[in-house]
């Protein structure tokens, strides 16, 4: 079964607007971590933000925030004030359990920021 | 001052050949990983080493063999290359295995098998 689901293959957003990227996950382990990575066209993977399952508050990092809804098993990424440089593919990933070392990735969402 | 480096960045080779991809991290991390990204951009873990010890070995053909000579290096050797091995291979490292530690990725190696 797919552990991470990203249902939006591609999105367009106007510069300076906010965009929300959906991510739902599937796990029965009470301890897990959720990550978002950005992959620009140059190919590198850039870590953006992390949310732990026991964290009480939603994670934020600059213009990135994570809308964590535990009951719904969703961890949506919000990018505020989009910039042209935000055009990239975005991956949601999960690590299950405190001793599991691998990241399971979703299929990714391509974001294109329009001027 | 590259944190995680991989060589080569591009690798074009013929079916049946044996090739290696090298990975080095200068972050002092204990754990290193190899991921494969296919043509549809799907990323999947292949291997992980923690302090030179293999801790993850996903369902990968045994033509793929990782080797970790020390904590800072994790190389990937591929025997008898096949067309389906064409992909981008990413090395990554994290401070520790598990927990909240993010993984830092290398720039990737684009392998093309002809």
């Amino acid at each position: 079964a797919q552990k991470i689901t990203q249902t939006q293959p591609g999105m367009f957003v106007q510069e300076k607007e906010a965009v929300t990227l959906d991510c739902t996950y599937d796990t029965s382990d009470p301890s897990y971590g959720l990550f978002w990575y950005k992959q620009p066209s140059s190919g590198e993977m850039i870590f953006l933000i992390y949310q732990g399952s026991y964290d009480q508050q939603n994670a934020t990092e600059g213009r990135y925030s994570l809308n964590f809804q535990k009951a719904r098993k969703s961890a949506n990424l919000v990018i505020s004030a989009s910039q042209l440089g935000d055009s990239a593919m975005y991956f949601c990933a999960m690590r299950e359990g405190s001793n599991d070392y691998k990241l399971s990735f979703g299929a990714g969402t391509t974001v294109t920021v329009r001027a | 001052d590259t944190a995680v480096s991989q060589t080569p960045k591009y690798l074009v080779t013929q079916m049946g050949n044996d090739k290696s991809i090298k990975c080095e991290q200068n972050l002092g991390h204990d754990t290193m990983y190899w991921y494969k990204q296919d043509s549809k951009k799907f990323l999947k873990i292949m291997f992980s080493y923690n302090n030179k010890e293999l801790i993850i070995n996903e369902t990968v053909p045994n033509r793929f063999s990782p080797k970790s000579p020390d904590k800072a290096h994790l190389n990937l050797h591929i025997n008898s290359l096949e067309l389906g091995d064409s992909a981008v291979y990413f090395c990554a490292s994290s401070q520790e295995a598990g927990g909240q530690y993010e993984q830092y990725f290398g720039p990737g190696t684009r392998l093309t098998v002809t």
Side-chain angles (χ1 to χ4, degrees), chain B residues 70-110:
Chain B
D70 55 56
K71 261 178 37 170
H73 295 84
L74 180 61
N75 303 324
L76 183 65
H77 189 76
I78 315 169
N79 288 329
S80 303
L81 278 155
E82 300 177 357
L83 292 177
D85 297 332
S86 295
V88 179
Y89 292 85
F90 284 98
C91 177
S93 72
S94 63
Q95 186 172 333
E96 291 179 17
Q100 78 276 23
Y101 300 104
E102 67 267 27
Q103 294 179 15
Y104 292 82
F105 282 73
T109 295
R110 182 174 294 277

Side-chain angles (χ1 to χ4, degrees), chain A residues 10-27:
Chain A
M11 299 182 71
F12 291 94
V13 60
Q14 206 64 30
E15 200 177 8
K16 299 181 186 175
E17 290 184 351
V19 61
T20 298
L21 308 183
D22 294 341
C23 172
T24 57
Y25 57 91
D26 181 25
T27 181

Side-chain angles (χ1 to χ4, degrees), chain A residues 2 35 37 39 43 45 47 50 89 91 95 98 100-103 105-107, chain B residues 33 35 37 41-43 45 55-56 58 90 97-103 105:
Chain A
Q2 194 74 2
F35 301 77
Y37 282 84
Q39 187 176 38
M45 294 286 289
F47 166 73
Y50 166 82
M89 195 152 189
F91 292 94
R95 179 190 286 131
S98 55
D100 194 357
Y101 312 121
K102 66 184 180 185
L103 290 178
F105 282 86
Chain B
Y33 312 79
Y35 288 86
Q37 187 174 42
K41 300 285 191 179
F42 187 69
L43 269 154
I45 184 77
I55 55 173
I56 295 175
E58 290 290 292
F90 284 98
Q100 78 276 23
Y101 300 104
E102 67 267 27
Q103 294 179 15
F105 282 73

Side-chain angles (χ1 to χ4, degrees), chain A residues 13-16 38-42 44 46 48 63-64 79-90 111-115:
Chain A
V13 60
Q14 206 64 30
E15 200 177 8
K16 299 181 186 175
K38 171 184 179 181
Q39 187 176 38
S41 57
S42 50
E44 71 269 30
I46 302 166
L48 296 178
R63 295 186 298 111
Y64 304 107
I79 307 174
S80 63
S82 296
Q83 302 172 355
L84 294 178
D86 294 334
S87 294
M89 195 152 189
Y90 290 81
V111 172
T112 304
V113 181
R114 289 170 163 159

